[in-house]
Amino acid sequence: MDNATRSERSRNAALEAAIAIIARDGPGRLTLDAIARESGLSKGGVMHQFRTKEAVLKALLERQMVHFEEFSSRYMAKVSATSANPNLATQLATVREAATSPNSAALALVAAMVENPSLMALPREREIERMAAIRDEAADPDLAMLRWAGAMGLLLSSLFGMSPLSKDEHQRLFARLLDDAQWTGLERPAAKRIAKSGATSAGKSASPRKRA
């Protein structure tokens, strides 16, 4: 095995160990010593890859983001020709994948947020871009945002151990969020909402004031 391959294996082993520690013990227990014990690497071997805990979290976050970007790209290619809301569908499916994947990327996000909030700048920028794409394609942007927020709520409540729902219930709710047919009857296109709001305002302006 050449040095480059050996180094890559050590790096991956350290990152897998970090995820396992975060999932089992929480981000507060993540240390270079703990990664060495979990991975079977020497502490020197871990430090050859990562000099600090923050470097581990940054690499972990970047790796998980790449994984889910690849998932999103594949899903988008599959639904872009058939879905009326391909960006929303892709984001909902990606959140579902994060919620159901063992030791998922969401753990890396939480660990990064707890230990160093500044690491969240890049994921936050990508999320803003995704939200803009979802709004642009939606007949009812507010309803699209509610569907997205519902998916995020399922993810976060599960991640923090606050959800009383079973795995089957989670899957059923995600499937409903993904099913456009469940939501089309509730859509209120933005133009109509604005027109209705404008008409209401005009009506109020035209109404005669009551005498004192």
Side-chain angles (χ1 to χ4, degrees):
M1 185 188 303
D2 59 47
N3 288 337
T5 301
R6 187 179 297 109
S7 179
E8 184 64 19
R9 287 193 176 184
S10 295
R11 181 181 177 84
N12 287 334
L15 292 177
E16 290 298 329
I19 279 286
I21 293 165
I22 293 167
R24 184 184 64 239
D25 305 323
R29 296 296 183 91
L30 183 66
T31 65
L32 297 183
D33 285 324
I35 292 172
R37 289 193 299 270
E38 186 77 22
S39 65
L41 299 170
S42 67
K43 186 174 179 180
V46 173
M47 293 189 70
H48 179 71
Q49 300 295 330
F50 306 105
R51 299 298 297 177
T52 64
K53 176 180 176 177
E54 181 175 310
V56 174
L57 288 171
K58 187 173 185 291
L60 188 59
L61 184 59
E62 289 172 346
R63 189 180 78 156
Q64 300 296 336
M65 286 178 65
V66 167
H67 169 72
F68 280 91
E69 289 288 348
E70 291 174 350
F71 176 90
S72 295
S73 295
R74 292 193 301 270
Y75 197 90
M76 175 67 84
K78 182 173 71 174
V79 301
S80 58
T82 58
S83 175
N85 302 286
N87 285 288
L88 175 60
T90 297
Q91 185 67 359
L92 294 177
T94 303
V95 173
R96 179 179 62 183
E97 178 71 7
T100 56
S101 295
N103 298 340
S104 77
L107 293 171
L109 292 172
V110 170
M113 181 176 63
V114 169
E115 296 297 320
N116 188 345
S118 67
L119 291 176
M120 296 302 294
L122 181 56
R124 190 178 298 111
E125 289 173 3
R126 290 292 296 116
E127 201 68 13
I128 290 171
E129 293 171 4
R130 294 187 189 101
M131 292 304 96
I134 289 171
R135 289 189 184 97
D136 286 345
E137 73 184 4
D140 185 338
D142 287 350
L143 186 60
M145 291 297 98
L146 284 171
R147 290 169 67 183
W148 170 82
M152 290 300 294
L154 288 172
L155 168 61
L156 294 174
S157 65
S158 177
L159 182 63
F160 288 112
M162 297 171 60
S163 177
L165 303 174
S166 68
K167 289 183 178 180
D168 287 343
E169 287 172 319
H170 266 257
Q171 288 301 306
R172 186 169 70 250
L173 292 176
F174 270 116
R176 188 165 184 178
L177 287 168
L178 274 159
D179 185 3
D180 285 339
Q182 298 274 344
W183 304 94
T184 51
L186 301 176
E187 287 180 347
R188 296 174 57 196
K192 289 184 179 179
R193 292 201 308 273
I194 292 170
K196 183 176 180 181
S197 176
T200 302
S201 298
K204 288 181 178 179
S205 298
S207 299
R209 294 183 179 179
K210 292 182 179 181
R211 293 181 179 178

